Amino acid sequence: MRKQYRADGLAEEDLAGHPMDQFARWFEDAARAALHGTLYEPNAMVVSTVDAAGRPSSRTVLLKQYDTEGFVFYTNYGSRKALDLAGNPHVSLLFPWHPLARQVIVTGTARRTGRDETAAYFRTRPHGSQLGAWASAQSTVIASRSELDAAYAELEARYPEDEQVPVPPHWGGFRITPETIEFWQGRANRLHDRLRYTARPDGTWTVERLSP
């Protein structure tokens, strides 16, 4: 199975000075593609972590915020990814925007968001998703689906739609501070454009072109 990429190239002189500004440009393109039905969930990203034994693990989560400080997602702090990050904060993110023949690859370090920031985001979630954060002990073994459904039903009875759901103490965000951000643009004949920003200690960034 092969696809010949026909997209326009990515040149150094076209890049934004800051990688998060460049990400914003590409994210807007991905969001427009989603509106037209050609790309599904532009904020979906693959988060890769490593456990204490050095075994890697990857999963798809949803990006909930990005700014000059980095990328934010939310999860159960007892989940596998959160436990991995507690032991090793180094992480990789991948945005696979295949319909645009684009990828963004991030390496960086993770730290927890503050409780105020977590609570502010939690209040924006749909009521059912708020209950789900309590119902699921993410990544733990359960006997059956009915066990999960029963836990949710109990919470639904305790906190109906007009009741405020408290923020779970075991749930919150991670902010990924980038160290490198690579913008990958598919090109014909597998001669793709790969431009990588790397952070300097003084807060500025260098840009390198990588061979495909």
Side-chain angles (χ1 to χ4, degrees):
M1 293 181 286
R2 292 185 178 274
K3 181 175 177 62
Q4 186 74 289
Y5 300 119
R6 300 295 184 187
D8 293 335
L10 180 64
E12 287 84 345
E13 57 267 24
D14 295 329
L15 289 178
H18 195 284
M20 297 308 295
D21 293 331
Q22 181 64 33
F23 179 83
R25 293 178 185 177
W26 274 24
F27 189 81
E28 289 172 6
D29 290 344
R32 279 193 295 271
L35 286 175
H36 296 143
T38 57
L39 190 153
Y40 183 68
E41 290 194 322
N43 61 325
M45 60 183 184
V46 179
V47 177
S48 298
T49 58
V50 177
D51 68 12
R55 293 182 293 259
S57 166
S58 298
R59 74 290 292 162
T60 301
V61 305
L62 296 179
L63 174 72
K64 291 302 179 181
Q65 179 186 340
Y66 68 89
D67 53 30
T68 56
E69 300 300 315
F71 306 84
V72 178
F73 70 90
Y74 290 86
T75 189
N76 186 310
Y77 285 144
S79 65
R80 178 175 177 176
K81 57 184 168 298
L83 295 177
D84 284 356
L85 292 173
N88 182 349
H90 298 292
V91 63
S92 176
L93 310 177
L94 169 65
F95 294 86
W97 295 325
H98 301 307
L100 301 178
R102 287 178 174 176
Q103 298 181 81
V104 179
I105 305 154
V106 180
T107 64
T109 54
R111 70 179 189 278
R112 290 188 180 188
T113 58
R115 291 309 293 173
D116 288 346
E117 184 177 356
T118 291
Y121 169 69
F122 188 79
R123 296 286 170 237
T124 71
R125 303 186 92 205
H127 184 74
S129 296
Q130 292 182 16
L131 297 179
W134 280 101
S136 172
Q138 196 174 65
S139 299
T140 62
V141 176
I142 57 175
S144 65
R145 173 73 195 200
S146 61
E147 179 181 327
L148 183 64
D149 291 341
Y152 183 89
E154 180 183 342
L155 288 159
E156 194 173 29
R158 189 188 313 170
Y159 300 108
E161 283 282 354
D162 58 347
E163 289 280 340
Q164 186 176 81
V165 181
V167 182
H170 57 267
W171 187 95
F174 282 100
R175 174 170 281 100
I176 310 304
T177 302
E179 296 165 359
T180 69
I181 304 182
E182 178 187 329
F183 294 86
W184 182 101
Q185 177 67 70
R187 297 290 301 277
N189 303 315
R190 296 299 185 261
L191 298 178
H192 314 305
D193 287 324
R194 298 176 59 191
L195 297 180
R196 182 179 63 192
Y197 292 80
T198 301
R200 292 191 181 107
D202 64 0
T204 61
W205 296 83
T206 60
V207 175
E208 300 169 303
R209 176 173 286 271
L210 304 179
S211 175

